[in-house]
Amino acid sequence: MRQLSSLDTGFLALDTPRTPMHIGSVCLYDPSTIPDGGFSIDRLRGFVEQRIHRAKMMRERLVRVPMSVDLPYWINDPDFDIEYHIKHTAIPAPGDWDQLMALASHIFAEHLDLEKPLWEMYVVEGVDAVKGVPKGAYALINKVHHAAIDGLSGIEVMSTSHELSADAEAEKPRRKWKPEPIPTQVELLGRAYVHALKVPGQTISAGKAVIGSARRFASFMVKQSVTGERSKFKSVGPKTVFNGKVSPHRVFGGECFDLAEVKAIKESEPGLKLNDVVLTICAGALHKYLKSGDMLPDDPLLSMVPVSVRSENAKKDLGNQVTVMSVPLGTHIADPDERIAFQHDSQLSRKEMLDAVGAESLQDYSTLLPSALVGLASRVYTTYGIANRIAPIFNTVITNVPGPPIPIYNCGAKMERMYGLVPIFDGMGLGHVVNSYCDVLTISFNACAEMLPDPDFYSACLRESFEELLSVRAPRPKGRKPKVVHDADAKKAS
């Protein structure tokens, strides 16, 4: 048994009938690289089963302490059945991008069973008309609860279904996996009592860290007031269509870009970072989308930007080890050249604040919150629609999860594309995931279907935002066409 952290438990508490809290991906594969035969669901189950020891959470289920007097535990599930978790479906002809996105939206809107290991994988066949992938390709739609992993620890989960070559063999596990009996309520309460004896010391330690963080923050803000820079550090964003109570329905989409062109934009000015570029692309898309509906606020939107605090020694640990930055987006700026300059400056300022406060501050604060209080606060927030009544702390989330720079293979099939997903919840009905893989960068988004009823148009906004930025920072030679084309026949965003 191993116990969840307070932060992981917080993600469980946010899981409601309208807000499933799983992260995920949609990946597309070319089966022509399979060395010894075709692809099948049985072959995939066997492939994952041989590698499942690489991520222990995939055979673990939750057990909750009675009355939530303590944090839940993970145990090795005595009833684990891989056939339940790896499922098979297909889309009808023609099997195009819009059909795949509609299926992914439906699957992502469905909850994971909290009485089983918190992941599912769907094999999707029939994706014959998706541009940029060969006929006969298949897709994998993956879901893992955010209580179990963050973006970086998700790489461990991905390793259970991928290899670095088409014919790689799985290594044998170091030790035999053993299921565990489900503990009784008396046993769980006994563990809670023992854990309670340790809480005062942990609380004092976390309290000292929080007090230190608060002092550093106050000192930082005083310094900004003296220098006249305090206006850069607003704590709430403007209200937008994405910042209210979300419905249970979802939409999903994404755009692919030539990674070399994205890097060319980064190299257009010393000091620019790849994150500056992707945040600028997203800011431009939000500007175009909101302006088209006369919904664009005068003030910049704020993005939650997750930052890993995972140490080198903890790279293989599961669970969440993240903090967040609140980064202003240049949504109020029409010119892409001015927008990227603003984006670079705003991200530097917020990084300076994060360094001053301490990157581990979110982990420290979460340690001080009792499990029952986290659950109660989450229920009050969702039941009474508080997101509709207060200014949002964040307007959206943009998380950058780098993928492998070399090809990877599922059952011998080469992965062609990778798109990501983050949970959305009351107060933040739009999320973005940035992935790089080989020579392609993707920006994916998922949203409440009522808040973003036209995902094809938002995809077009992302594409046009990128093209405008490229034209002023690293224009293509005349006659050269973009290397990566849009998946759907989206309308022009202007």
Side-chain angles (χ1 to χ4, degrees), residues 12-305:
L12 279 180
L14 286 171
D15 198 307
T16 75
R18 291 179 295 102
T19 57
M21 292 300 293
H22 44 255
I23 61 179
S25 63
V26 176
C27 302
L28 290 152
Y29 300 87
D30 176 7
S32 69
T33 61
I34 297 176
D36 57 350
F39 176 81
S40 70
I41 181 69
D42 289 335
R43 181 169 186 153
L44 175 61
R45 285 173 177 153
F47 187 89
V48 174
E49 200 160 27
Q50 290 175 346
R51 294 159 178 81
I52 201 167
H53 59 276
R54 297 175 181 175
K56 57 186 176 183
M57 57 75 49
M58 294 186 73
R59 289 183 289 193
E60 291 180 329
R61 58 155 292 185
L62 285 169
V63 288
R64 298 178 186 265
V65 179
M67 299 173 289
S68 297
V69 297
D70 199 6
L71 303 173
Y73 288 87
W74 296 110
I75 66 163
N76 288 345
D77 184 11
D79 300 314
F80 176 74
D81 180 4
I82 198 167
E83 291 192 11
Y84 170 84
H85 294 274
I86 300 180
K87 306 178 182 185
H88 179 254
T89 187
I91 53 178
D96 60 21
W97 174 254
D98 288 341
Q99 290 172 289
L100 179 61
M101 290 300 95
L103 176 62
S105 300
H106 174 73
I107 289 173
F108 285 140
E110 294 181 334
H111 278 257
L112 292 165
D113 186 344
L114 297 180
E115 300 298 317
K116 298 181 183 293
L118 296 180
W119 66 277
E120 290 178 351
M121 184 183 299
Y122 288 78
V123 180
V124 184
E125 296 190 273
V127 290
D128 289 336
V130 174
K131 293 180 181 178
V133 296
K135 191 175 181 64
Y138 66 91
L140 292 183
I141 298 177
N142 303 284
K143 295 164 53 175
V144 185
H145 203 285
H146 212 336
I149 62 170
D150 59 25
L152 287 181
S153 62
I155 295 172
E156 293 298 309
V157 174
M158 200 168 189
S159 72
T160 65
S161 55
H162 294 88
E163 290 285 1
L164 297 179
S165 65
D167 55 357
E169 296 288 336
E171 76 284 1
K172 292 184 179 180
R174 295 181 180 178
R175 63 189 67 169
K176 187 177 180 180
W177 180 79
K178 293 182 180 180
E180 296 176 87
I182 298 175
T184 66
Q185 293 194 349
V186 173
E187 289 175 311
L188 290 169
L189 288 171
R191 282 178 173 267
Y193 175 77
V194 173
H195 185 226
L197 298 177
K198 302 176 184 178
V199 166
Q202 294 171 342
T203 302
I204 291 171
S205 177
K208 288 179 179 179
V210 168
I211 291 171
S213 172
R215 285 175 176 169
R216 291 192 298 272
F217 177 73
S219 175
F220 178 82
M221 294 308 292
V222 168
K223 179 182 175 182
Q224 301 310 311
S225 296
V226 171
T227 59
E229 297 288 306
R230 185 164 182 166
S231 60
K232 291 183 179 180
F233 299 95
K234 289 186 177 180
S235 58
V236 295
K239 196 79 171 178
T240 76
V241 66
F242 306 121
N243 305 122
K245 189 172 182 178
V246 301
S247 76
H249 309 296
R250 300 291 179 263
V251 292
F252 179 67
E255 279 289 313
C256 289
F257 306 97
D258 185 342
L259 184 56
E261 291 185 338
V262 176
K263 289 181 177 179
I265 297 172
K266 179 181 79 73
E267 298 299 328
S268 66
E269 182 179 328
L272 280 180
K273 305 294 185 185
L274 194 67
N275 232 31
D276 296 328
V277 179
V278 297
L279 290 175
T280 303
I281 295 170
C282 293
L286 286 163
H287 172 92
K288 293 175 181 299
Y289 184 85
L290 293 172
K291 187 177 180 181
S292 73
D294 197 24
M295 301 180 289
L296 182 66
D298 293 331
D299 293 331
L301 273 62
L302 294 182
S303 175
M304 175 196 293
V305 177

Side-chain angles (χ1 to χ4, degrees), residues 27-29 158 162 408-409 413-418 437:
C27 302
L28 290 152
Y29 300 87
M158 200 168 189
H162 294 88
I408 57 176
Y409 299 82
K414 180 185 174 185
M415 188 170 81
E416 296 289 336
R417 304 269 188 89
M418 176 171 61
Y437 171 61

Side-chain angles (χ1 to χ4, degrees), residues 384-411:
Y384 294 98
I386 292 176
N388 291 332
R389 307 180 187 184
I390 62 174
I393 300 175
F394 305 105
N395 297 107
T396 187
V397 58
I398 304 172
T399 180
N400 191 345
V401 184
I406 58 175
I408 57 176
Y409 299 82
N410 168 261
C411 298

Side-chain angles (χ1 to χ4, degrees), residues 436-470:
S436 56
Y437 171 61
C438 292
D439 58 354
V440 174
L441 181 136
T442 59
I443 300 179
S444 314
F445 62 89
N446 57 291
C448 166
E450 294 180 7
M451 295 177 176
L452 190 81
D454 43 5
D456 278 356
F457 179 61
Y458 189 67
S459 283
C461 290
L462 283 168
R463 171 60 57 186
E464 187 165 322
S465 176
F466 168 75
E467 294 292 343
E468 288 182 351
L469 183 59
L470 185 70

